[in-house]
Amino acid sequence: MSQAADVALLPPAIELVGIDKRFGAVHANRAVSLAVAAGTIHGIVGENGAGKSTLMNILHGFYQADAGEIRVDGTAIAVRSPEDAIRAGIDMVHQHFMLVSTFTVLENLVLGVKGGWRLAPALGRARRELLRLADEFGLEIDPDAVVGDLPVGPRQRVEILKALYRGARILILDEPTSVLTPAETARLFAVLRALKARGVTVVLITHKLREIMEITDTVSVMRQGAMVAHRVTAETDRESLAELMVGRKVPLGLDKQAARPGDVALAVRGLSVVDDLGVTRVDDVGFEVRAGEIVGIAGVSGNGQSELLAALAGMEPFPQGEVRFAGTVMTPALPGDPGDLRTRGLAHVPEDRLGDGVVGAFPAWENVILGYHDDPAYRRVVLIDRPAILADCAAKMAKYDVRPADPHLATHGFSGGNQQKLVIARELERAPSVLLVGQPTRGVDIGAIEFIHKTLLAMRDAGCAVLLVSVELEEIMALADRILVMFEGRIVGEVAGETADERTLGLLMANAAEGDGDGSR
Amino acid sequence: MARGEAAPAWVGHVLVPLVNLALAFLVSGLIVLAIGEDPLEAVVILVRGAVGFEEAIGYTLYYATNIMFAGLAVAVAFHAGLFNIGGEGQAYIGGLGVGVALLAFDAHLPLPILLLISILASAAFGAAWAWIPGYLQARRGSHVVITTIMFNFIAFALMNYLLVNVLIQPGQMSPQSREFEPVAWLPFAHEALGWFGIQVTRSPLNLSLLWALACCLLVWLLIWRTRWGYRIRVVGGNEPAARYAGIDPAKVVIATMCVSGALAGFVGLNEIMGVQHRLLLNFTAGYGFVGIAAALMGRNHPLGIILASLLFGALYQGGAELAFEMPRITRELVVVIQGLVILFSGALEHMLRPRIEAMFRRPAPAGGEG
Amino acid sequence: MDEHFLLAVLTLDATLRVATPLILCAMAGLISERSGIIDISLEGKMLGAAFAAAAVAHVSGSEWVGLLAAVLTGAMLSLVHGFACITHNGSQVVSGVAVNILMSGLTVTLGIAWFAQGGQTPGLGEAERFRPLLWPGTEALREVPVLGTLYRELLSGHNLLVYVALAAVPLVWWGLYRTRFGLRLRAVGENPEAVDTAGISVAWLRYRAVLLAGLLAGIAGAYLSTAQNGAFVRDMTAGQGYIALAAMIFGKWRPVPALGACLLFGFLDALAVRLQGVALPGVGEIPVQFIQALPYVLTVVLLAGFMGRAVAPKAIGIPYVKER
Amino acid sequence: ELSPAVVFDMGGKFDKSFNEGVWNGIERFKTETGVKYREFEVTNETQREQALRRMAQRGADPVLGIGFAQAPALEKVAKEFPETRFAIIDMVVDLPNVQSIVFKEHEGSFLVGALAAATSKTGKVGFIGGMDIPLIRRFACGYVQGVKHGNAKAEVLQNMTGTTPAAWNNPTKGGELARSQFDRGADIVYAAAGGTGVGVMQAAKDAGKLAIGVDSNQNHIHPGTILTSMLKRVDVAAYNVFKTAMDGTWKPGIQVLGLAEDGVGWALDGNNDKLVDAGTRAMMDSLRADIIAGKIKVHDYMSNNSCEG
Ligand SMILES: Nc1ncnc2c1ncn2[C@@H]1O[C@H](COP(=O)(O)OP(=O)(O)OP(=O)(O)O)[C@@H](O)[C@H]1O
Ligand SMILES: Nc1ncnc2c1ncn2[C@@H]1O[C@H](COP(=O)(O)OP(=O)(O)OP(=O)(O)O)[C@@H](O)[C@H]1O
Ligand SMILES: [Mg+2]
Ligand SMILES: [Mg+2]
């Protein structure tokens, strides 16, 4: 990047000066200052809970800072609400999508836009503008699709279109890529570059340092609420950023031994799953997973991976097929029961941890027994054995470095990464014979990713059969011994782990996906 | 955030509720003043009438017993994510169970067995009345709020029919059954205390208070200390997670509604076996609805429900005393005061909380978790 | 045959009369709940408004001023409800219960204080009530067989508020689905954060929703005391607010199905009234209590048999708190 | 020195009928004698006993309980306070210190039924009760006999308002019931339903039909619309309890007040005299005389829990 040195000379589009924010006793932002030059892409990295989202939410007016100043194009402005921010041209794509899932794309688009009281003209205008934007940035989307029916990739496109439609000059994206496939990420970055070319200033939060290196001009690092470093991207590298974030050296590669597969632990034959609307989501799928190997399932999200996992875990009945595991056979006539499967040694890390994997309102210790609540070890006669569970929870928290290590904290009070660690601890610590894992590191910081990957490999080496579903190609390639590619409910290819590379896999997924370009349905 | 709480616990748990209560009384006082009575005197009469003498305490506790049962019923259902508005009907039918059982057996069996039968009958009848809405919710998706409202009306029609046509004491004007044999009367508190040589004034307070307190303990154990309660809370907290955990939400919903109905049915135990000693119309007197407020004010926790029930019991009894002593204060004005208490202590409980807690906040520990 | 036809028409006519307050309240509840605020206080608002309407109509001599008072009362109670659960994040159910209890006591207390008739308001004269409106041509069409009867009995001859209730349904529908305000209202009941981050005030939107609900419940109250009846009587709402709530849920929080549910309730009620004491062929005379329970039983049966799961607005009942 | 007390029942003293009648009577007593009384309105089953006992404890005498539902409580309390004089209306409590006053509602209802039959042009009349309970059946049964006596072919439509306590305070439902009866051809409706009757009378007025009031004289509510009111002189009864206690002529025992005792009757005043012509008046007088003389026997539903005698 030749213009790297110029970046610092450009006038700042936004300046945050001495932003301070407390949530109760938690000091989320400590006198944070940040300047982002106009027309550049600025990255923010930091561990889970470092205060990145808080800082950006303050810039967007969602939270109010306790102290500090926000300047846009050099003038201090008061940002008391998102309305003020939007008026100043600041818009944000939030970490958790801010979409109304029962609305269509178009309706979501016009939600925040001012204008007459009748809806029809506004929708008409939005439709035209949407087509134009889609054209200009390659952000195609069906304006009449109901958002709840869309896969995450297109959903995020809606979020970006929302901001563009409102005429954002400064666009904040909070972990936009954590839910995207590489192809989708690439398209997002193309959009960001196009925006940059038109003078839009972009702030990008991500945990993936590769992406920081790829797209940003400058980058800031946050740790424990404070801003610890600003760097010009071209003048730094992943290792030093990782060290700045975590405060220690983080090895970025995994040393993985060759697998020593044993007996078949999980056998799937002719499995089909049909959803509530009668659409076939999994179509005649068959494969085997052996003890001591990791089988990865790659694919663009929404191609049946979720339904496959749900069916294997006994959560979803299926009209066709047969699943053999630990001496039981699940068939349409004999549907499995998740509780029973668990006692036979099946563990399941669900894709959607807050949706399926935990009860948000429960304290951590209660979620650590979810699914295993009938285990005699957790009860005395009829009453549950609280001390035992608390001790168990504390042990798991220590082993998996869950922060804060407080078993009594409500689960939704943990960051997503730490929630994930809780779920993983719960499922892995039972020494299962078969482990189903969906998106194990979605939205998790690099320190934690490293830990989770190591743990999964250790499980494999201990003889567990692991079925890993992930949209992160990098992750699949790093972990899986065999990789199956799923497309439209079918398995369209298999690649050995050591020979796989991003190009072949991407091609497999892309070739197959040709007819379904934007993934929206 | 729990960790960040810097104000002492008593401020949140004692002071704030007291201030809210005072506020409710302040507004009530203005109304009392407006009708030309002395508000201070009214407060004195109200408080004295609620807790000032043995009989008053007896009545307060007697009302609290009913409200506890009804509140527990609402709370248990709430933990499974169900809004059971049908406590009134379930209590009514629970009372029917007690009545029918005692009419059948009171001449033949001793009290302990009759008590056991009555507890079982009220629970079974109440549970049965809640089972249908529960079943329909779980298996047919019929919204439990509608069905329980409907079942309240149906319960009243059923009871009206049975009392007027079947159970009425022959030759009686009043649609009520015959009086049970005295052996089938749940001992009053004044009688029970009398066994131990403690003399207190008579009141309708009876041994079902003990059962209510036992139920509070049992509900607490059930909800927070057993895996059945765990299942209930998982279903209420996150239904997909329940499915993930191998818990069948439909079964839990049905079972929880039955438990809820059984608890509501115990209102019938207190009223029919404990106080009225006969089956009669309208003995539920709206306790099922007050139970909703008590449960929510008590945050669906048995301890909170006990406190809320005591508050409501005191208002019932003190309010009656107030209407008795001050001719210009009608029973409707007492209802107004009750409404204001629910408004300020329940719905507006967060109004002053932050400000009051801020006044007592200790400086936050340096360098909070970040 | 002709007589049966007339009776059928008259039953439908009664259905309309009975359903009117239900429709108004169901629409009120729908607007409020679509914005995420549970409205158990329909009963109390309607009661308060009924009292205000009758009291003010009596004092002023005009049903219109009474209606205004009713609407203001409904709105005021909505503000109380909103203050508790929008501004102060109180429990919506507790707040609703409080309003109901408060109104049940306050209406009678004020009634005794002002009119000394035991909480009842003085009976209203012809000029102080909403009287039936006779549509033009009713007499001319008198002799036309079927149409004449339908026109005379079913369409014409209701008071203004009945037509207001009927008009409220398409209006609410239009408002909800065809205006920007409606879009935002529905959004805030599903995902208030999305509305907030779009730069729209969640609180102000919800306040407007509960105010509209208060207005409609106010009209329902005025209907009870100044149109359908000619005075306020204590607790005269007799649980209709709850029935309206049930109808709204029955209608899955949508205006037209909710209207259908209200009409169904009204019809079952009107039917039950006419079945009392009638000996049914084969069964003989059914005990009156069973007939009285019939509407409720049928509702449950219909609900279980023909209605899928009703999905409530996602954010309903949850106070919108950003920082915990 | 006399300190009388009254305990109203759940309907409350302003229930537009029965309790309110009592209230009117004792208010008259208060204005005439200047003696104040204590009062209480119960809100649930348990308060009856509490209130009665509290009255007795406070030295009230006599203590008047209103309504059949108070009988068990009054019996209990009267035993505890044998020195205190008690009275109960609508129910018999057989104790040496209790005066029980019951009315022959069926006789009064018979009379207004006969008047309805004589006035009806359609040969169909209606009856609207609050709740289906024996007392109301007694009203209905007497009314039906009166109607049939006046016109053997006449038809009586009957409706009950509800099954919850709201049945006594639901004018809307009352009005709807009345309209349904008008729709079916009735032109006179007798309401024995407390506050619900307000709606019945309003509906009659709106429809240009006639209504019959109950308990107290309700003719003034809509002059020209109320054919008559079936009077149940609880006001007189209540007044007498206090008055005799004051005079020292109070006696325990059972008083059955029928037409002969002027305990029940029908109301004729300036508000309805145009509705009842001279011939009809004469007929009513002779009917009354016949009942008193025993020439006409009005069957009491309570005697055999059936309207067939
Ligand atoms: N709404 C809130 N209420 C209370 N505390 C909060 C809230 N949001 C954030 N916090 C606190 O602020 C701290 C910073 O959170 P923030 O969301 O900014 O982290 P982050 O850097 O975005 O983390 P992640 O990478 O997990 O998204 C957290 O540790 C948390 O304790
Ligand atoms: N409602 C809340 N109350 C308290 N703390 C909260 C709340 N919401 C978020 N936090 C805190 O904010 C931090 C980040 O939260 P956020 O929701 O951004 O996490 P996340 O994106 O799910 O986490 P991750 O980046 O690990 O996936 C966490 O440390 C958490 O403790
Ligand atoms: Mg974040
Ligand atoms: Mg995050």
Side-chain angles (χ1 to χ4, degrees), chain C residues 52-111:
Chain C
V56 172
H58 170 73
V59 172
S60 69
S62 156
E63 73 274 30
W64 291 102
V65 187
L67 179 65
L68 185 71
V71 165
L72 287 179
T73 305
M76 235 175 52
L77 292 173
S78 285
L79 283 181
V80 172
H81 189 48
F83 183 69
C85 30
I86 302 172
T87 305
H88 290 297
N89 301 319
S91 157
Q92 299 169 6
V93 175
V94 172
S95 165
V97 170
V99 168
N100 287 345
I101 293 182
L102 201 58
M103 279 305 108
S104 158
L106 200 60
T107 47
V108 181
T109 304
L110 291 178

Side-chain angles (χ1 to χ4, degrees), chain B residues 14-255:
Chain B
V14 180
L15 184 64
V16 174
L18 281 181
V19 171
N20 285 332
L21 201 59
L23 211 59
F25 281 145
L26 193 75
V27 177
S28 309
L30 293 179
I31 300 178
V32 171
L33 200 64
I35 63 160
E37 293 276 7
D38 178 359
L40 277 180
E41 200 191 330
V43 170
V44 173
I45 293 176
L46 185 81
V47 174
R48 219 183 63 83
V51 294
F53 46 100
E54 283 171 4
E55 186 195 349
I57 296 174
Y59 270 90
T60 295
L61 292 177
Y62 147 72
Y63 288 122
T65 306
N66 280 334
I67 298 165
M68 250 179 253
F69 284 131
L72 286 175
V74 176
V76 167
F78 236 94
H79 282 293
L82 300 162
F83 188 18
N84 177 11
I85 306 199
E88 189 81 359
Q90 290 143 18
Y92 212 29
I93 298 299
L96 176 66
V98 179
V100 170
L102 292 183
L103 286 173
F105 298 119
D106 62 348
H108 315 295
L109 295 173
L111 177 66
I113 298 183
L114 287 175
L115 176 59
L116 191 69
I117 293 178
S118 295
I119 288 182
L120 291 177
S122 50
F125 275 61
W129 207 247
W131 174 77
I132 309 173
Y135 176 86
L136 293 175
Q137 165 85 56
R139 305 279 179 212
R140 310 285 321 173
S142 317
H143 205 293
V144 82
V145 168
I146 316 182
T147 43
T148 50
I149 289 179
M150 298 297 147
F151 267 69
N152 283 343
F153 286 105
I154 300 172
F156 273 87
L158 179 67
M159 190 70 114
N160 192 205
Y161 171 78
L162 289 177
L163 273 178
V164 172
N165 297 297
V166 184
L167 297 171
I168 192 169
Q169 184 176 8
Q172 268 285 355
M173 180 66 105
S174 183
Q176 35 182 253
S177 75
R178 71 168 169 83
E179 192 168 63
F180 310 135
E181 298 294 331
V183 60
W185 298 4
L186 201 53
F188 284 109
H190 51 87
E191 296 168 359
L193 288 171
W195 303 335
F196 302 101
I198 306 170
Q199 296 303 318
V200 294
T201 325
R202 59 179 304 154
S203 74
L205 180 63
N206 58 71
L207 291 189
S208 44
L209 173 66
L210 297 181
W211 180 235
L213 292 173
C215 284
C216 287
L217 182 68
L218 288 174
V219 164
W220 180 76
L221 284 173
L222 170 76
I223 296 292
W224 280 282
R225 288 293 181 271
T226 68
R227 50 209 169 105
W228 303 294
Y230 183 82
R231 290 198 190 108
I232 291 175
R233 287 184 298 124
V234 172
V235 169
N238 185 353
E239 212 179 293
R243 247 179 245 118
Y244 161 81
I247 300 167
D248 182 352
K251 275 192 200 143
V252 171
V253 162
I254 296 173

Side-chain angles (χ1 to χ4, degrees), chain A residues 368-369 372 375-380 384-385 389 392 396 430:
Chain A
V368 151
I369 61 169
Y372 303 98
D375 188 331
Y378 290 143
R379 65 171 192 265
R380 278 178 309 201
I384 57 173
D385 189 351
I389 303 172
D392 186 46
K396 285 178 177 148
R430 314 289 304 192

